[in-house]
Amino acid sequence: MNIGELARRTGSSARSIRHYDKAGLLASHRRDNGYRDFDEVAVPQVMQVARMIRLGFSLEEIATFPRCMLRQVTDAICPDALAVHRERLAEVERQLFDLARVRERLMSMLPPNERVPHEPS
């Protein structure tokens, strides 16, 4: 399928798909006219790459993931990828902790009448 069809079926832009392909995350081949051509397997691959990006992973990180992560679109984590997800979650937890400390310091510098109570979003 051409890149336009792949974009339509996945909801990703052609530009993003080209970027994923250049990063080696998709298997494409070139037609005689030089255009990219994708097999059916590219549909779940594009959807999973986009999902991983939304989870905060970079293309460089995604390129190191076990191939099982790109085989199908699912919320389940393939067993080979559990460690990667646990590491990302630990990193997010550290960032949240650090941000909470910064927030506390900033709040402590404000006059008491200007301090905003913590409201989870």
Side-chain angles (χ1 to χ4, degrees), residues 17-37:
I17 293 169
R18 282 186 202 96
H19 196 60
Y20 304 162
D21 190 40
K22 185 177 178 182
L25 299 173
L26 306 176
S28 70
H29 48 278
R30 297 286 180 160
R31 295 179 181 175
D32 290 339
N33 61 7
Y35 290 147
R36 288 177 175 87
D37 191 50

Side-chain angles (χ1 to χ4, degrees), residues 5-115:
E5 174 68 10
L6 183 57
R8 186 188 64 72
R9 290 181 58 189
T10 61
S12 292
S13 69
R15 182 178 179 197
S16 292
I17 293 169
R18 282 186 202 96
H19 196 60
Y20 304 162
D21 190 40
K22 185 177 178 182
L25 299 173
L26 306 176
S28 70
H29 48 278
R30 297 286 180 160
R31 295 179 181 175
D32 290 339
N33 61 7
Y35 290 147
R36 288 177 175 87
D37 191 50
F38 297 91
D39 293 328
E40 192 65 29
V41 70
V43 173
Q45 288 176 331
V46 169
M47 294 174 79
Q48 283 293 80
V49 169
R51 179 173 174 256
M52 294 298 147
I53 289 170
R54 287 190 305 274
L55 289 172
F57 293 105
S58 69
L59 291 181
E60 292 77 20
E61 290 170 317
I62 296 168
T64 68
F65 291 172
R67 300 313 294 174
C68 66
M69 293 179 71
L70 297 177
R71 288 191 194 127
Q72 60 183 349
V73 179
T74 178
D75 286 335
I77 300 169
C78 68
D80 294 341
L82 283 172
V84 173
H85 278 73
R86 287 185 181 119
E87 288 171 17
R88 176 49 123 203
L89 181 57
E91 181 181 330
V92 167
E93 294 290 341
R94 282 190 300 275
Q95 290 172 343
L96 287 170
F97 178 78
D98 291 344
L99 285 171
R101 288 188 348 187
V102 169
R103 183 183 185 282
E104 288 171 13
R105 280 182 273 179
L106 288 168
M107 291 288 285
S108 71
M109 297 177 75
L110 293 173
N113 64 332
E114 293 185 26
R115 294 181 188 168

